Amino acid sequence: ATSRQLSRLDAIDEQLRQGDRLFAEQKEDEARAVYESILVKNPANAGVNSRLGRMAFHAGRYDEAVQRFREAMKAEPNQFHYALCLAQTLSRLATTAMDRPKAMDAAARAYRYAQSLDPTNFTATIQLAMCYREQGEFDKALETLRQAAKKYPNAAAIHTQLGEIYHSQNEFTKALEEYNLALKSDPKNLAAHNGCGVVNTALAGT
């Protein structure tokens, strides 16, 4: 890199730090202005697009957030965090979409891509399963979680989600088994404790 290029990168880094400081001080409009000024000279800056995407997401501007995260991924397509943020935003958009099945399918595709970038991240796996569940594709949801449970048998979050799906299908014995596996790995897991209580009550009434 030439000295001019290095100087330009240093200036961008300083602007980025300035934007981050303003954001930390809850001066979001000022932070946004700084971030957008960086994009004027460097429109492909993934970090800036990601920051603006998160700001848009938390403000409920989901269409804008999708656009920002897609721009970030164009620049860094193998960055798991950007892929996960895009999937989560698409999932949020799907809740109010006119064509909900199509929107949920788009979110599921995004979660699958995020999962392919980091198969060890349970967030992507669980939220992909939740997408399938929202679409009424319970078999896909269960298969996604079961495959993850084989690889990571001590992951309490995965067993908890399996328990919830089995519970929703009135498969109480399987649900209880999964909740107990979750508690074996994480004895303080509140969702699993609550699940066990509800399932045991249901079993006592059968």
Side-chain angles (χ1 to χ4, degrees), residues 55 77 80-81 111 136 163 165 174 189:
M55 290 175 71
F80 169 78
H81 179 69
Y111 278 123
I165 295 175
K174 289 182 179 179
N189 188 310

Side-chain angles (χ1 to χ4, degrees), residues 80 84 88 91 104 108 111-112 114-115 118-134 140-142 144-146 148-149 152 155-162 164-165 189:
F80 169 78
L84 181 62
Q88 290 172 329
S91 181
M104 288 301 297
Y111 278 123
R112 285 195 295 270
Q115 188 185 40
D118 186 0
T120 66
N121 189 288
F122 301 147
T123 300
T125 298
I126 289 170
Q127 292 186 357
L128 172 59
M130 290 173 68
C131 248
Y132 287 141
R133 184 178 174 183
E134 286 290 324
K140 281 187 178 181
L142 288 168
T144 297
L145 293 169
R146 281 195 292 251
Y152 310 104
I158 291 173
H159 289 296
T160 301
Q161 286 297 318
L162 278 166
E164 289 183 3
I165 295 175
N189 188 310

Side-chain angles (χ1 to χ4, degrees), residues 71-200:
E71 288 297 321
M73 288 189 63
K74 283 181 186 177
E76 296 184 24
N78 295 322
Q79 172 58 254
F80 169 78
H81 179 69
Y82 301 159
L84 181 62
C85 285
L86 175 60
Q88 290 172 329
T89 308
L90 288 169
S91 181
R92 186 66 63 90
L93 267 176
T95 60
T96 56
M98 295 290 290
D99 189 346
R100 196 163 184 269
K102 182 178 179 180
M104 288 301 297
D105 187 57
R109 286 198 305 272
Y111 278 123
R112 285 195 295 270
Y113 181 70
Q115 188 185 40
S116 75
L117 295 177
D118 186 0
T120 66
N121 189 288
F122 301 147
T123 300
T125 298
I126 289 170
Q127 292 186 357
L128 172 59
M130 290 173 68
C131 248
Y132 287 141
R133 184 178 174 183
E134 286 290 324
Q135 292 173 289
E137 298 186 78
F138 294 101
D139 289 342
K140 281 187 178 181
L142 288 168
E143 183 60 21
T144 297
L145 293 169
R146 281 195 292 251
Q147 289 298 322
K150 286 179 183 178
K151 293 180 182 178
Y152 310 104
N154 296 322
I158 291 173
H159 289 296
T160 301
Q161 286 297 318
L162 278 166
E164 289 183 3
I165 295 175
Y166 282 131
H167 184 190
S168 72
Q169 298 296 291
N170 294 327
E171 296 190 50
F172 299 129
T173 301
K174 289 182 179 179
L176 190 59
E177 180 182 347
E178 294 296 339
Y179 285 138
N180 282 326
L181 284 170
L183 290 171
K184 184 177 179 181
S185 299
D186 179 12
K188 295 182 179 180
N189 188 310
L190 184 60
H193 273 296
N194 290 340
C196 278
V198 174
V199 170
N200 278 321

Side-chain angles (χ1 to χ4, degrees), residues 8-27:
R8 183 182 172 212
L9 290 173
D10 287 342
I12 289 174
D13 285 344
E14 177 53 38
Q15 279 185 287
L16 197 55
R17 286 192 290 271
Q18 180 190 0
D20 291 346
R21 284 195 298 270
L22 289 167
F23 183 74
E25 294 168 4
Q26 298 184 335
K27 298 176 180 177

